[in-house]
Amino acid sequence: MNDNKRDVYDILNALEEAEKKKSEQKNSVERTQAGRTVSKSETGQERTISERRASANTSTVRRNAEDDASKTKTMQRKPADSTQQRTRSSQTRQTSGTQSMKKRPQREYEVISENKSDAKNNKKKKEPKKKRTNHLARLIVLLVVIVVISVTLSGVIISFGRDMLGVGRSSETVVVTVQDGATVNDIAQMLKDDGIIRNPKFFRLFSKISKTDSLFIAGDHEVRADMAYETLIKALTSDAISDENSVSVTFVEGTTLPEAAETLEIEGVCDADEFIEAFNKADNYGLEYEKHMPTFSNNSKFYKMEGYLFPDTYTFYKDMSPDLVCQKILKNFDSKFTADMYAKMDSEKMSLDDVIILASMVQKEAGTAEDMPLVASVFLNRLKDSNTYPRLQSDATSTYVEDTIKPHISEIDQELFDAYDTYTCTGLPAGAICNPGLDAINAVLNPANTDYYYFYSDMKTGETFFAETYEEHLANIDKVNEKYGIKTTDESEDSTDDSETSEENNE
């Protein structure tokens, strides 16, 4: 028993020495890691060698203890078992502690490196999104620009095509005049003003491309708005209407429509009745004066366009279309009525028809152009004081009824006669009584500033006498009559209507 005990003690001492060696090895390794004097590879190798040695010693001691224990079969086996268990647990704690000590920094490094790599990956993932967003925005802008340009070009091409081909334009024939020395720019603007083309730039471009911009021939040419550019240029570069067929016609100031129509028929231009019918249709030629024309709802008007045949010298052609004759006359009227005249008319709160009607009366009543503003002032003063002077009482209106309306009417229409006779109607007559010239029109727009309400004209000399009162007016009549030896009537025998404005000397 003593020998057995000695053996057991030897085994325990050997185990304690083995644990001390392991503890010293562990402390050595920890000191090496703390001082960072040994590399990881060397530490790993030392751990491996010491673990192998400890394992070998433990195995030897364990085998010896097991042999002794089997021989003795005593209760000392328990201390040996507990000692071995403590040894194993100690080894396990040492091993796990050493591994945890070694692995923890590596895990933290791995976590940091993973976070860094994730951040880099996130940046890499975000950057393509920004790039894709910017690329998409640029693509959208580019598409919008392309669409806008396409729509604009399409509109320009369509507009150019319609104008170039005359699509949807009037088929009415128009006479245009190419002035001598006119450039393609002048001609293009003239065609636009006459309503033949819409865009002068397109016409100039087409003419230059076709190399016809220097081939236009001066003179009158018949064209239509529905002509294609090619046909239109061909008409303007062809010979003008022959001068051999031209007819020069002069309409004097104060002429009436029937008188003008008769002159046209005598000269062989067109039929008189056809001209009057065409002129009174008041077709829309796209002229400025048309914007100021009345609706002709007044059924009392005899000739709707009386007063708009501007007195001038015109060049027509034999057997000319009445419609083309009307166009030429009305274009001339439109050119004479300026923007300043329209502005003055509006400031006086007068319509274009009012101006023409008054101007026709002034044209017939005034002996000279110098007297026209004075005559106009008499009519305008009466119109402003209509309570005192309800009637204009112009002899020229009565003459128009007798000489113009009655011969051209199939049956008596007293209402129509009264609407024109200013001895019967109040205010202005229903329509103009002739076609006034520019002097008479300007006289109405710019009358003299007077207090005259009467005038009396010497038709032989053209002299006109003006008066503010009825007594002065009677004295003027006596003055003219005495000149020609006419007996003066007593004042009591004169007309009781003191609004009489004019009296003609028949001698």
Side-chain angles (χ1 to χ4, degrees):
M1 290 297 290
N2 292 329
D3 293 333
N4 290 334
K5 288 181 180 179
R6 191 178 297 114
D7 292 334
V8 170
Y9 290 140
D10 292 337
I11 292 170
L12 291 174
N13 291 328
L15 290 172
E16 288 178 359
E17 291 179 359
E19 286 180 358
K20 288 180 180 180
K21 290 180 179 180
K22 288 181 181 180
S23 178
E24 290 176 358
Q25 291 176 357
K26 177 181 176 182
N27 292 332
S28 176
V29 171
E30 288 176 353
R31 285 194 299 271
T32 303
Q33 289 180 346
R36 297 184 183 275
T37 58
V38 182
S39 64
K40 290 183 180 179
S41 59
E42 291 175 348
T43 304
Q45 289 175 1
E46 281 185 43
R47 184 187 64 187
T48 304
I49 294 169
S50 60
E51 285 178 354
R52 287 178 182 176
R53 290 177 179 174
S55 177
N57 293 330
T58 304
S59 299
T60 303
V61 173
R62 189 178 298 166
R63 282 195 302 270
N64 293 330
E66 286 176 355
D67 290 339
D68 292 337
S70 61
K71 290 178 180 180
T72 60
K73 294 182 181 181
T74 61
M75 292 303 291
Q76 283 82 3
R77 185 182 298 171
K78 290 182 180 179
D81 291 341
S82 61
T83 303
Q84 290 177 358
Q85 187 174 0
R86 285 197 300 272
T87 303
R88 290 194 188 97
S89 62
S90 177
Q91 291 176 353
T92 303
R93 285 195 300 272
Q94 290 175 0
T95 305
S96 61
T98 304
Q99 290 178 351
S100 62
M101 294 266 312
K102 293 179 179 179
K103 289 182 178 179
R104 189 176 295 117
Q106 186 175 0
R107 286 176 184 172
E108 292 176 357
Y109 176 79
E110 289 175 356
V111 171
I112 294 172
S113 62
E114 286 177 0
N115 291 334
K116 290 183 178 179
S117 62
D118 290 341
K120 291 181 179 179
N121 292 332
N122 290 333
K123 288 182 178 180
K124 290 181 179 178
K125 290 179 181 178
K126 290 179 180 179
E127 289 178 357
K129 287 184 180 180
K130 291 182 180 179
K131 290 182 179 179
R132 285 196 297 269
T133 303
N134 295 335
H135 180 70
L136 181 60
R138 287 194 296 268
L139 182 60
I140 291 173
V141 172
L142 180 60
L143 289 175
V144 170
V145 172
I146 292 173
V147 169
V148 171
I149 293 175
S150 300
V151 171
T152 304
L153 288 176
S154 299
V156 172
I157 292 171
I158 292 172
S159 176
F160 174 74
R162 290 178 64 86
D163 200 39
M164 183 181 68
L165 298 175
V167 177
R169 305 305 301 277
S170 173
S171 60
E172 190 173 12
T173 302
V174 177
V175 174
V176 296
T177 303
V178 177
Q179 301 295 333
D180 190 20
T183 64
V184 65
N185 294 343
D186 299 331
I187 295 170
Q189 188 61 43
M190 177 266 296
L191 293 174
K192 182 182 183 300
D193 294 340
D194 289 342
I196 307 302
I197 61 174
R198 288 192 178 97
N199 198 313
K201 292 181 180 179
F202 290 163
F203 182 83
R204 292 197 297 267
L205 178 62
F206 186 90
S207 179
K208 289 180 180 180
I209 291 174
S210 60
K211 298 181 180 180
T212 58
D213 53 320
S214 60
L215 303 178
F216 295 102
I217 296 177
D220 291 340
H221 301 266
E222 291 186 359
V223 297
R224 300 189 313 275
D226 63 351
M227 284 181 171
Y229 279 4
E230 184 178 0
T231 307
L232 184 59
I233 290 175
K234 185 177 180 180
L236 296 176
T237 55
S238 300
D239 292 336
I241 299 175
S242 176
D243 291 338
E244 295 178 358
N245 294 324
S246 63
V247 178
S248 181
V249 177
T250 299
F251 301 124
V252 298
E253 289 84 352
T255 189
T256 63
L257 273 181
E259 291 170 347
E262 184 178 359
T263 301
L264 291 171
E265 185 173 86
I266 292 172
E267 296 293 340
V269 177
C270 62
D271 180 78
D273 293 336
E274 290 179 357
F275 168 75
I276 290 177
E277 182 181 359
F279 199 78
N280 284 290
K281 284 192 306 182
D283 280 343
N284 190 342
Y285 298 117
L287 303 174
E288 179 64 26
Y289 84 91
E290 295 169 352
K291 300 176 183 177
H292 306 273
M293 289 293 291
T295 58
F296 297 120
S297 60
N298 185 0
N299 294 326
S300 297
K301 204 166 188 179
F302 185 58
Y303 289 132
K304 294 178 181 179
M305 293 295 290
E306 181 81 90
Y308 293 90
L309 189 154
F310 190 79
D312 206 344
T313 298
Y314 296 85
T315 299
F316 300 114
Y317 302 95
K318 290 185 178 180
D319 299 324
M320 195 174 182
S321 168
D323 188 64
L324 294 179
V325 175
C326 296
Q327 285 182 37
K328 195 158 193 175
I329 294 172
L330 291 172
K331 284 180 180 179
N332 190 32
F333 172 86
D334 188 68
S335 66
K336 295 297 190 293
F337 217 99
T338 65
D340 291 339
M341 296 168 72
Y342 285 118
K344 182 66 176 178
M345 179 186 78
D346 294 337
S347 67
E348 295 297 330
K349 297 181 180 180
M350 300 175 67
S351 68
L352 178 60
D353 218 35
D354 291 342
V355 172
I356 297 302
I357 291 171
L358 270 174
S360 69
M361 296 170 62
V362 171
Q363 185 70 62
K364 284 293 188 181
E365 290 285 7
T368 62
E370 289 76 13
D371 289 338
M372 286 183 177
L374 295 171
V375 173
S377 71
V378 172
F379 289 133
L380 289 170
N381 288 339
R382 282 175 169 259
L383 288 171
K384 292 176 182 177
D385 191 5
S386 59
N387 291 330
T388 306
Y389 305 97
R391 297 178 180 85
L392 297 181
Q393 289 196 328
S394 167
D395 288 344
T397 60
S398 302
T399 302
Y400 185 77
V401 171
E402 296 297 326
D403 296 347
T404 304
I405 296 179
K406 289 184 177 181
H408 295 91
I409 197 170
S410 58
E411 58 184 25
I412 295 176
D413 187 348
Q414 191 60 47
E415 185 178 352
L416 176 63
F417 301 158
D418 292 343
Y420 272 87
D421 191 345
T422 55
Y423 279 95
T424 304
C425 69
T426 59
L428 291 172
I433 60 174
C434 71
N435 292 280
L438 199 58
D439 290 335
I441 295 174
N442 282 324
V444 173
L445 293 174
N446 302 281
N449 185 15
T450 72
D451 293 325
Y452 295 146
Y453 290 91
Y454 306 90
F455 64 85
Y456 187 79
S457 298
D458 185 345
M459 300 304 294
K460 289 185 178 181
T461 63
E463 188 177 6
T464 303
F465 301 92
F466 298 91
E468 295 182 7
T469 65
Y470 183 60
E471 289 73 18
E472 293 177 357
H473 176 58
L474 291 178
N476 287 333
I477 294 175
D478 291 339
K479 185 190 301 183
V480 174
N481 288 339
E482 288 176 1
K483 184 192 299 185
Y484 297 104
I486 298 175
K487 183 181 178 181
T488 302
T489 56
D490 294 335
E491 184 174 336
S492 60
E493 295 178 359
D494 285 333
S495 173
T496 57
D497 185 356
D498 63 356
S499 64
E500 186 178 23
T501 57
S502 64
E503 185 74 31
E504 294 184 5
N505 189 345
N506 292 326
E507 290 193 20

